[in-house]
Amino acid sequence: MEFAELIKTPRVDGVVLHRPFMPTVEGTLCLTGHHLILSSRQDNTEELWLLHSNIDSIEKRFVGSLGSIIVKCKDLRVIQLDIPGMEECLNIASSIEALSTLDSISLMYPFFYRPMFEVIEDGWNSFLPQDAFKDLESMVWTDEWRLSEVNKDFSVCPSYPPLVAVPKDIDDDSLKKVATFRHGGRFPVLSYYHKKNGMVMMRAGQPLTGTNGRRCKEDEKLINATLRPGKRGYIIDTRTINVAQQAKARGGGFESEGNYPQWRRIHKAIERSNVLQESLIKLVEACNDQSHSMDRWLSKLEASNWQTHVKEVLTTACLAAQCIDREGASVLVHGTEGTDSTLLVTSLAQIILDPACRTIKGFQNLVEREWLQAGHPFQQRCAQSAYSNSKPRLEAPVFLLFLDGVWQILRQFPCSFEFTESLLVLLFEHAYASQFGTFLGNSAAGRAKLSLPEKTVSLWSWVNRPQELERLTNPLYEANSLVIWPSVAPQSLLLWEGVFLRWNRSSKSLDEAYDEMVHIIEYNKELQNKVNTLRRQLAQLETEDPLLHTP
Amino acid sequence: MEHIRTPKVEKVRLLDRSSGQRKVSIGTLYLSATHTIFVENNPETRKETWVLHSMVSSVERPPTTPAGSQLILRCKDFRVFQILIPQERDCLDVHASLVRLSRPEKYSELYCLSFNPNANKEERQESWSFIDLMADYKRMGVPNNLWVSTAANSEYRVCDTYPSELFVPRSATPATIVGSSRFRSRGRFPALSYFHQDTLAAVCRCSQPLSGFSGRCQEDEVMLQAVMKSNPGSDFIYVVDTRPKVTHQHTQTHCSTITGSDTDTTCVCVCVQLNAMANRAAGKGYENEDHYTNIKLQFIGIENIHVMRSSQQKIIDVGEMRSPSMTDFLWGLENSGWLKHIKAILDAGVFITRAVADEGVSVLVHCSDGWDRTAQACSVASILLDPFYRTIKGLTVLIERDWVSFGHKFSHRYSHLDGDPKEVSPVIDQFLECVWQLSEQFPCAFEFNERFLIAIHTHVYSCQYGTFLGNCQKERRDMRLRERSHSVWPQLWKDRAEFTNPLYKAELSQSQGILRPNTTPYCFKMWKGLYNHVEKSTPPRQSPADFLSAVREESQQLEEELTNHQEVPPGGTAHHHPGSRQEDRSSDREANHLGEHRGSEEDSPPAV
């Protein structure tokens, strides 16, 4: 298929662009296969390059022969294009609609994008599965855990990566059996190893016990292998007990006390994806209506339930972290599929527990390991954002909820993260629309099939350049090896302004404050260097010139 | 001392509910003339908790439990202490004593008048001259050919709640002033609050006119005309009535928005009466635009002190909720109406600021008596208009002018004495919160930090200093407060290092000129620092501000060391703390004692 077929009108002159915080621009609108471009042809800075894949929905309005297209983006920005001529406007609108809803992944922009920057470190090689648990190898690792290639052709579990960490005593044949007992073949695998006390966090899909209470000895053996003698573990089920009970009728279920006597099961409900999607839509709608009175704003914010979901996921992540760090117990986390709420809990728990995840590289590693490799279906979940008009099917802001959770912890511990909010915003944007191939596909298998490393550029190649790293580095960062316990009290959880109010309120004064903060710290470093040089010189002079010692 | 029945009770359990502690400490409770003191038994820490009697807002006695009798102490700074006393008799005694001690009947019982600090007379006198309001008027260019000082009220005869020194339009004769004052509630005639040199427009304040339905007063009309004439750039003035024009009675039905429709909240508004109209019937009201030429009347809609009092109680309750759900919290926040009121006050300030700075039109602000909502609106406007009031010194000057000197009824509003509970209202709390909300939007624009605002809040209630005692200047003069007590401001100034915002930068655009805040509802947050003492730092939780303050302090020391080595980096002094000039005198001495513990005199332990 040629893009040209979809572009009814490639160019319109005299188009006026309105966008947040920027002066109105008049210029020429061009449509290409992947971009909507507006250029004033005077000044390069007054240009708009918008990926079609960033467009969530559009609205048309007509006043006389002047048409307007309201473009609502997945990054929550809303822009308006005033187009002279009704026919042009309709053509542009239908072209945008067609181009922004292409079905075929291989037509996406990352397959056409050529980097304009020098790739210093190829991001596709930055976080290889075999390296994921590398630092553990020096530990008890080899005694208790091993890397298994049982899934190397994705046949045991289509949503798992080719390499997974499992208890050493469990052989690949057992893993295959366990896979048939777990939803989507997602047998329990290692998610996190707590060096401090050797406790682990595992994740899986729900056990397929069904109504007749099917059991699987290998499954019991697998998870029991992670327990110390005489110790109990915790199973955190991200569904209510009722939902878990109902799942039995559809072949799912949960670990019964009888078959898993060494495990205590805790049900902590995290809403399912379609509920989250509706919540996001309501939240963004509330944020965009500036005419609200205080009462109406607060009641809309409340009714959206978004903040409730943030509290829910952080509470459950804290619980998992508590079991591991405070109780000294191992934890298994699962919901139904084990690809959404499960990952929210395991990844946020690691932010709390593991200082490495709070570094720039470590956080990328976490996203790669616990989201991309772990089989979160990005392509499906991020197909539409908050302005989608269609009824959500598979779309859900699960990853955005994760980023929001990280932001809340970062805001409470502003000195404990090597990165700033900017990295989180950047990941949000790229998960929904990107020139990079990182978030394409729904699983490692899908990505392998698309040959992404060969055909596209990795987002990490872009992020891990000195200029970009400098932009993302938190000047307040002071590495600390502690577990950080966020407050989940409602008063402590704020609306993430950097994403949800980003296009509604100017951040100028906050940006100034950030610059000032950087300035204070850099000035201090500069002084320290100078003083140190002087001290050295002085010390040198004192040894060279004994006269200095006489008063 | 006659009120203390039992000065000491042992084996008392104390829980500081507001600090988020879950652990009860056991110790001894002492009652002194001024404080309730709790000393922990733990020999290692022997932690002391001091609660000033004047900070106690209520003492509750819940039903006795098998473990003993309970007392709940609620403080005016929103701390809550739960005390468990083994013997019921002791508990009754402590309760009776505290109830009496926390509700003094006479000014002489108050801490600042009963307690003699060991400072000498000169120091005391000096403390009162710390703020010179005339110097501030001079700073804004007053007096000039538009605004002049009037001696009309020098003996508080025209208006006993006004200060003795006031500025009025040049063309306003004493007869006009006196005539106008007779037509205004409590004699509070139009006087200058702030003069904006850039546009020559002014912010003036007064109380409501005693117009009734048809009354008029020629002198008052002349007075308003004079206000207008004192602004050569404009041919009208705004009269801002900060009260709501219409009192709505809301019957709200809350339905959840499961359907996602727009009719989730049914709001039945019954217009019961005109608030200002009710005042008209009582012979008061607002200016009749037919009688006054060249005025534009503007209603703002800040609610009265009774609404504010109950609203604050609700937000305190929200802060005290135990493990609330997000829904409980947000619903509680909405239901309290608190942020809505804060927004209304800020909106009033924004309106005045736009009129004065953008349109160059003078504004006359009033409410009913002109000492609550008027003080809020005028002082918020000053903060927005003039960067000086965003400094530590400037804020103290502003509070001294628009609140203390203009007769805000501190003793009534903050119940310094046992009195009419209907007079109590968190009026200045709201002003301080407006400033806090602004500082959240403009992190570099304010020289002070949140701690400064909270310290002022505490002292407004604590009566440790004479500054906020009484209800007007005349009352303070009659009480001879300057001879009997100290001013709070020099004390706060002394601790300014602790109150300094490290991000404050006078040269930044947000710190200069007019502040233009966004007052969309989503820009307002609950002020956790004031209402929610829970979750004070558990390591490694850090405040970036404290971190930056430490970095800046270190930079300063490094600068000094460099100076000592006779090498100043280019632009090195640009980052001095404001006020560091005073410290420069001693920099040589200090540089030689780097790392030594400073200010040891101030660390002396408190005497019981």
Side-chain angles (χ1 to χ4, degrees), chain A residues 290 292 299 302-303 412 415 485 487 491-492 504 508-509 512-513 516 519 523-524 528 530 534-535, chain B residues 257 327 334 441 444 505 509-510 521-522 528 532 535 541-542 547 551 554-555 559 561-562 569 572 575:
Chain A
Q290 318 244 349
H292 285 331
S299 94
E302 191 270 299
Q412 292 185 26
C415 306
W485 298 107
S487 160
Q491 302 93 305
S492 307
N504 299 328
K508 188 169 163 272
S509 55
E512 275 183 354
E516 180 56 18
H519 186 84
Y523 178 63
N524 178 266
Q528 268 175 352
K530 279 192 177 145
L534 275 173
R535 280 178 187 158
Chain B
T257 45
T327 301
E334 181 194 339
Q441 271 193 45
C444 303
K505 201 172 180 188
S509 64
Q510 60 180 279
Y522 53 60
K528 247 180 80 183
N532 204 251
E535 310 138 30
R541 194 165 291 162
Q542 273 175 309
F547 179 82
V551 169
E554 191 193 50
S555 292
E559 273 175 11
E561 190 174 341
L562 282 175
H575 278 269

Side-chain angles (χ1 to χ4, degrees), chain A residues 282 287 290 292-303 307-308 311 412-415 476 478 480 482 484-487 489-494 497 501 504-505 508-510 512-513 516-517 519-521 523-524 527-528 530-531 534-535 538, chain B residues 257 262 264-265 318-319 324-327 329-331 333-334 339-340 343 440-444 502-503 505 508-510 518 520-522 524-526 528 532 535 540-542 544 547-548 551-552 554-555 558-559 561-562 565 567 569-570 572 575:
Chain A
K282 280 188 197 166
C287 291
Q290 318 244 349
H292 285 331
S293 69
M294 185 64 77
D295 288 354
R296 193 153 171 80
W297 156 248
L298 288 172
S299 94
K300 285 248 167 191
L301 177 65
E302 191 270 299
Q307 294 298 94
T308 300
K311 183 169 151 61
Q412 292 185 26
F413 297 91
C415 306
L476 295 173
E478 281 193 325
N480 84 61
L482 298 170
I484 52 177
W485 298 107
S487 160
Q491 302 93 305
S492 307
L493 303 175
L494 296 181
E497 294 178 44
L501 300 178
N504 299 328
R505 57 116 185 85
K508 188 169 163 272
S509 55
L510 301 179
E512 275 183 354
E516 180 56 18
M517 186 172 86
H519 186 84
I520 290 172
I521 289 167
Y523 178 63
N524 178 266
L527 281 176
Q528 268 175 352
K530 279 192 177 145
V531 168
L534 275 173
R535 280 178 187 158
L538 202 66
Chain B
T257 45
D262 274 325
D264 54 322
T265 314
V318 170
S325 71
M326 188 57 83
T327 301
F329 171 70
L330 289 174
W331 196 83
L333 204 58
E334 181 194 339
L339 292 180
K340 176 174 68 188
K343 173 173 155 59
E440 286 286 292
Q441 271 193 45
F442 303 99
C444 303
L503 289 174
K505 201 172 180 188
L508 277 180
S509 64
Q510 60 180 279
N518 184 341
T520 317
Y522 53 60
F524 293 81
K525 288 182 270 214
M526 178 168 169
K528 247 180 80 183
N532 204 251
E535 310 138 30
R541 194 165 291 162
Q542 273 175 309
F547 179 82
L548 290 174
V551 169
R552 281 186 67 152
E554 191 193 50
S555 292
L558 291 169
E559 273 175 11
E561 190 174 341
L562 282 175
H565 293 308
E567 199 208 280
H575 278 269

Side-chain angles (χ1 to χ4, degrees), chain A residues 58 103 118 127 192 206 209 234 418-419 471 487 507 541:
Chain A
I58 60 168
D103 274 337
E118 192 197 346
F127 307 100
Y192 170 67
Q206 65 177 343
T209 58
Y234 289 88
E418 194 191 5
F419 51 88
R471 187 179 78 86
S487 160
S507 63
L541 281 174

Side-chain angles (χ1 to χ4, degrees), chain B residues 522-541:
Chain B
Y522 53 60
C523 294
F524 293 81
K525 288 182 270 214
M526 178 168 169
W527 189 3
K528 247 180 80 183
L530 187 65
Y531 292 108
N532 204 251
H533 297 256
V534 183
E535 310 138 30
K536 289 267 165 66
S537 55
T538 47
R541 194 165 291 162

Side-chain angles (χ1 to χ4, degrees), chain B residues 214-262:
Chain B
S214 55
R216 59 189 291 184
C217 165
Q218 208 189 348
E219 288 93 339
D220 194 62
E221 288 159 28
V222 171
M223 186 71 183
L224 265 61
Q225 202 64 20
V227 170
M228 188 201 80
K229 276 193 267 172
S230 272
N231 178 4
S234 164
D235 52 9
F236 72 96
I237 62 167
Y238 283 109
V239 173
V240 169
D241 192 327
T242 55
R243 299 168 293 185
K245 190 172 183 187
V246 180
T247 311
H248 290 272
Q249 279 217 333
H250 291 270
T251 316
Q252 283 200 338
T253 325
H254 271 275
C255 319
S256 57
T257 45
I258 297 162
T259 51
S261 70
D262 274 325

Side-chain angles (χ1 to χ4, degrees), chain B residues 283-436:
Chain B
K284 298 166 184 176
Y286 53 90
E287 290 76 1
N288 185 333
E289 279 174 287
D290 297 338
H291 299 160
Y292 294 84
T293 37
N294 310 321
I295 68 163
K296 283 189 186 171
L297 206 53
Q298 175 77 31
F299 289 88
I300 298 276
I302 304 174
E303 298 288 350
N304 64 34
I305 57 168
H306 312 294
V307 173
M308 299 308 192
R309 180 174 54 242
S310 81
S311 172
Q312 193 190 39
Q313 189 49 54
K314 287 180 192 158
I315 201 162
I316 295 169
D317 294 344
V318 170
E320 277 184 24
M321 281 196 279
R322 291 213 190 169
S323 19
S325 71
M326 188 57 83
T327 301
D328 294 340
F329 171 70
L330 289 174
W331 196 83
L333 204 58
E334 181 194 339
N335 186 46
S336 77
W338 184 254
L339 292 180
K340 176 174 68 188
H341 301 315
I342 299 296
K343 173 173 155 59
I345 296 162
L346 209 49
D347 279 333
V350 169
F351 178 85
I352 298 167
T353 302
R354 283 201 193 127
V356 168
D358 300 346
E359 295 181 58
V361 177
S362 293
V363 181
L364 176 63
V365 186
H366 73 72
C367 45
S368 301
D369 289 318
W371 52 43
D372 293 316
R373 289 172 267 200
T374 301
Q376 291 175 330
C378 288
S379 52
V380 168
S382 279
I383 290 265
L384 298 176
L385 282 164
D386 192 333
F388 172 66
Y389 300 119
R390 298 170 217 149
T391 63
I392 292 179
K393 185 75 192 266
L395 184 69
T396 64
V397 169
L398 179 64
I399 291 175
E400 192 72 34
R401 185 191 74 211
D402 270 339
W403 295 81
V404 179
S405 89
F406 264 106
H408 174 64
K409 305 203 293 174
F410 279 94
S411 277
H412 286 165
R413 294 289 176 263
Y414 312 113
S415 61
H416 292 161
L417 299 181
D418 194 22
D420 182 0
K422 287 205 180 71
E423 280 283 320
V424 179
S425 188
V427 185
I428 203 167
D429 298 35
Q430 293 183 314
F431 164 66
L432 293 171
E433 178 158 343
C434 284
V435 179
W436 178 80

Side-chain angles (χ1 to χ4, degrees), chain A residues 2-23:
Chain A
E2 289 290 322
F3 291 117
E5 292 167 19
L6 299 173
I7 303 170
K8 292 183 182 161
T9 302
R11 223 188 96 158
V12 188
D13 289 322
V15 173
V16 179
L17 164 72
H18 308 268
R19 54 184 160 171
F21 315 122
M22 295 216 226

